[in-house]
Amino acid sequence: MNYWTCTITEIEHLQSGYALLRFSADEAITGEPGQFVMVRGDWGDHPILPRAFSLVETGPHGAILVRAVGTGTEKLVQMKPGDKLFVMGPCGRGYKQPTSRRPVLVAGGVGVAPLLFLADRIDEKTPRPVFVYGAQTSADLVLTDRLQSLASLELITEDGSCGETGLVTAPLARLLNDGVPSEIYACGPTGMLSAVAQIAMRAGTDCEIAFESPMACGMGTCKGCAIHDADGQYRYVCSDGPVFDARQIYGGTN
Amino acid sequence: MNDVLTTSIGEWQLANPVMVASGTFGYGLEYTDLMDISRLGAISVKGISLNPRLGNPPPRVCETPCGMLNAIGLANVGYDVFVNEKLPELRERGAVVIVNTYGTSTEEFAELARRFDQADGVAALEVNISCPNVKSGGMHFGADPAAAAAVTAAVRQATSLPVIVKLSPEAPDLRAVAQAVQGAGADALSLINTIRGMSINVRTRTPRIGPVFGGLSGPAIRPIALRMVYEIYQVVDIPLIGIGGITCFRDALEFFLAGATAIQVGTANFKNPLTAIEIIDQLHEYCIANQINPSALTGQIQISSPNE
């Protein structure tokens, strides 16, 4: 765990209030796909809590994908290169390394962030990943050119403005029917994660899902980010996750 | 660092008066990558109960203006796991450990005190009679002078460790509680715990905290906490540990001037886990520059005309 005092090096403004923030510190930014960082600007007492973001890039520069949805994220997307950024991480447990099976990455909305990083990290020994990316409308689909270069991209929107019309579950179910041994990596709204987990468990496919939760500390100390697991016990998104085996949360025993 | 910042809480000597508050710093060990935790004046660990507690249904935290609400419900590993798995490493690392204890009855508080009295590596007990997020015990003890005194007396009898009693700002008569607790043998008082508040998600029309109410903390409550430290300083003789929205060295000075002998950093640990360390460094600089010990600041607010 590190607490990096960073400088913003670049802000790539995308559509629909999304921005890709790149930052650097005196040392390399470390972390694996699915791990996250707690981020805050130098803005006084409000908002006081840092925000959790999936890492999208690590190395000499770190990067996070921010969507402006509230006070903290608004402030972040309005920052400028040269501004100070406080970054604590890498936090939590990331995705397992892909094996020799075909990786199927399923992203809903801003859940695209950790999966973009994962797609970028998949090497030649692993079959080319399939990336199913869904959102409400075409304007909410970001960084699709980059995704296209890393994976076979299947876009889907609820209003049909881009790609197929509907939810990510339809292409996912079709894919799993083609008989190619696969493993699923997902991130998105809770409803989507639950639906993806059910499909994966029915198909007997390994599935790792990344959760989001309000949190304060990001490192397992405040016990604020509890979710229920399949046995009705509490799991902590920041320290037990954010990535969980789908069966842990939705499957009970198997 | 050295003895410039040495602080006494009764008989108990501390290297400096800057502590971290219970519930905001886990068991301390989570932060060893980021800092030398032995530099902290003390670590008040997450409230410990006799048995493990799972905590409240989520959501447990939400952000509010200059602060946050929490309703964790004292989720903790329980006495055995704490003593066997956390305390040895804390001791090894030279951390000064205040065990914050939570019981649902006077007997449970006493039993915890008895057990911790025998545990190696505990510097003091902080009796939590002020948690707003549990159904029994907690704040109910802290609201009533007689109940607060009974818990304090039972703990006092059960241990020779310094006993700090953590007060609730929700007590209808906090001065009476503070005096009763002092009379029952407390060595120090820490104040304040959180104040109940709520927040509603207007889109879903649901509370943003699972149990509807949560404890408000952070800079939003600092003026209230400061006022209470000031008020209690007038009516007791035992040292006060000021808590409530302290985020920087200047905030800490305010609490000393109002009457605190030591302070605890809480919510600001989430903002920056190094907050307490930064306050220690700045306080050290300040005390060298002014050739004083922090205790020279306690209660030194200058009021030109009495405000009674």
Side-chain angles (χ1 to χ4, degrees):
Chain A
M1 186 72 67
N2 302 275
Y3 186 77
W4 292 299
T5 300
C6 298
T7 305
I8 294 185
T9 52
E10 188 190 352
I11 300 192
E12 202 179 317
H13 289 281
L14 310 165
Q15 71 274 24
S16 304
Y18 278 91
L20 194 63
L21 261 72
R22 286 201 178 80
F23 48 87
S24 65
D26 289 344
E27 57 185 62
I29 306 298
T30 53
E32 298 300 320
Q35 286 191 297
F36 67 97
V37 282
M38 298 298 282
V39 178
R40 204 172 175 280
D42 195 7
W43 57 52
D45 287 345
H46 184 70
I48 193 151
L49 298 177
R51 297 291 186 270
F53 292 96
S54 290
L55 283 161
V56 176
E57 293 169 12
T58 55
H61 289 78
I64 54 172
L65 179 67
V66 181
R67 185 174 200 188
V69 292
T71 317
T73 47
E74 286 285 357
K75 287 192 176 187
L76 282 171
V77 301
Q78 282 162 18
M79 292 179 85
K80 302 274 177 282
D83 285 350
K84 212 188 248 188
L85 197 68
F86 301 104
V87 179
M88 189 182 81
C91 304
R93 172 188 170 274
Y95 290 109
K96 275 192 213 133
Q97 283 290 334
T99 63
S100 56
R101 287 172 293 190
R102 173 183 63 179
V104 178
L105 282 50
V106 187
V110 74
V112 70
L115 297 168
L116 171 60
F117 190 18
L118 181 68
D120 193 44
R121 282 291 180 88
I122 288 172
D123 58 27
E124 324 73 68
K125 285 176 288 197
T126 303
R128 185 171 167 81
V130 180
F131 202 115
V132 180
Y133 181 15
Q136 272 181 339
T137 186
S138 62
D140 296 342
L141 295 166
V142 299
L143 299 166
T144 49
D145 289 350
R146 217 168 126 187
L147 291 168
Q148 195 85 63
S149 69
L150 299 168
S152 309
L153 186 59
E154 298 213 20
L155 300 175
I156 183 159
T157 49
E158 286 176 45
D159 67 0
S161 54
C162 181
E164 204 174 320
T165 306
L167 302 170
V168 292
T169 42
L172 175 65
R174 264 200 322 271
L175 271 164
L176 295 187
N177 273 335
D178 72 4
V180 181
S182 302
E183 52 201 15
I184 299 168
Y185 302 85
C187 185
T190 312
M192 183 203 104
L193 294 180
S194 165
V196 167
Q198 300 306 333
I199 290 171
M201 288 187 296
R202 272 201 298 276
T205 306
D206 286 347
C207 176
E208 295 224 304
I209 48 181
F211 276 83
E212 188 175 45
S213 162
M215 58 176 71
C217 73
M219 57 199 306
T221 65
C222 78
K223 305 297 174 199
C225 59
I227 56 169
H228 286 286
D229 74 6
D231 301 322
Q233 303 297 309
Y234 290 126
R235 301 269 180 166
Y236 294 99
V237 172
C238 76
S239 49
D240 297 327
V243 177
F244 294 90
D245 186 303
R247 286 165 295 216
Q248 260 184 319
I249 307 300
Y250 294 112
T253 48
N254 76 330
Chain B
M1 190 173 305
N2 51 45
D3 36 3
V4 176
L5 300 181
T6 307
T7 300
S8 304
I9 305 236
E11 310 268 289
W12 180 31
Q13 296 283 316
L14 289 154
N16 71 70
V18 182
M19 311 172 171
V20 286
S22 181
T24 66
F25 213 72
Y27 302 106
L29 299 170
E30 297 88 341
Y31 293 88
T32 54
D33 282 357
L34 300 179
M35 71 186 81
D36 172 2
I37 58 172
S38 73
R39 286 197 59 208
L40 297 165
I43 299 171
S44 182
V45 297
K46 176 73 189 168
I48 306 284
S49 44
L50 280 174
N51 297 309
R53 288 178 55 90
L54 299 176
N56 286 327
R60 294 179 178 181
V61 292
C62 79
E63 181 131 13
T64 56
C66 294
M68 62 177 287
L69 290 168
N70 88 79
I72 308 299
L74 284 166
N76 80 91
V77 297
Y79 171 84
D80 286 336
V81 173
F82 175 74
V83 166
N84 295 323
E85 296 176 21
K86 311 287 182 189
L87 203 49
E89 194 183 339
L90 283 164
R91 204 162 54 218
E92 209 170 287
R93 289 181 180 273
V96 180
V97 176
I98 298 173
V99 176
N100 181 288
T101 59
Y102 163 72
T104 55
S105 64
T106 303
E107 292 69 35
E108 263 182 56
F109 275 110
E111 177 60 21
L112 277 162
R114 222 176 341 267
R115 293 200 196 176
F116 279 115
D117 189 64
Q118 302 301 313
D120 189 8
V122 178
L125 295 183
E126 184 176 57
V127 183
N128 184 356
I129 54 166
S130 45
C131 178
N133 296 322
V134 289
K135 286 201 185 77
S136 50
M139 204 171 77
H140 302 291
F141 286 115
D144 172 31
V151 171
T152 306
V155 169
R156 174 74 290 161
Q157 274 209 314
T159 181
S160 55
L161 290 168
V163 172
I164 304 160
V165 176
K166 187 164 179 177
L167 302 181
S168 169
E170 304 232 25
D173 186 350
L174 189 61
R175 284 184 284 200
V177 174
Q179 287 172 319
V181 165
Q182 172 177 260
D187 296 293
L189 305 173
S190 57
L191 68 164
I192 58 175
N193 206 320
T194 57
I195 303 170
R196 283 173 304 165
M198 64 186 283
S199 178
I200 300 170
N201 178 329
V202 294
R203 189 177 54 79
T204 59
R205 301 188 174 183
T206 53
R208 290 172 67 212
I209 283 284
V212 186
F213 294 169
L216 180 64
S217 65
I221 68 166
R222 191 193 308 135
I224 298 171
L226 196 65
R227 185 264 291 176
M228 290 183 166
V229 166
Y230 174 74
E231 272 191 328
I232 299 307
Y233 182 69
Q234 315 300 315
V235 299
V236 299
D237 303 316
I238 52 178
L240 306 182
I241 302 171
I243 320 169
I246 296 172
T247 66
C248 65
F249 161 66
R250 292 207 160 272
D251 299 345
L253 284 189
E254 275 198 284
F255 277 83
F256 293 133
L257 294 170
T261 296
I263 57 109
Q264 291 183 359
V265 176
T267 302
N269 293 315
F270 302 138
K271 175 186 175 187
N272 171 5
L274 299 171
T275 302
I277 296 286
E278 289 172 5
I279 293 175
I280 293 167
D281 289 341
Q282 286 173 300
L283 184 61
H284 184 257
E285 236 172 81
Y286 178 89
C287 286
I288 297 258
N290 291 281
Q291 298 189 307
I292 53 164
N293 178 271
S295 61
L297 299 166
T298 300
Q300 293 307 303
I301 180 175
Q302 304 296 312
I303 298 175
S304 47
S305 58
N307 65 349
E308 286 300 306

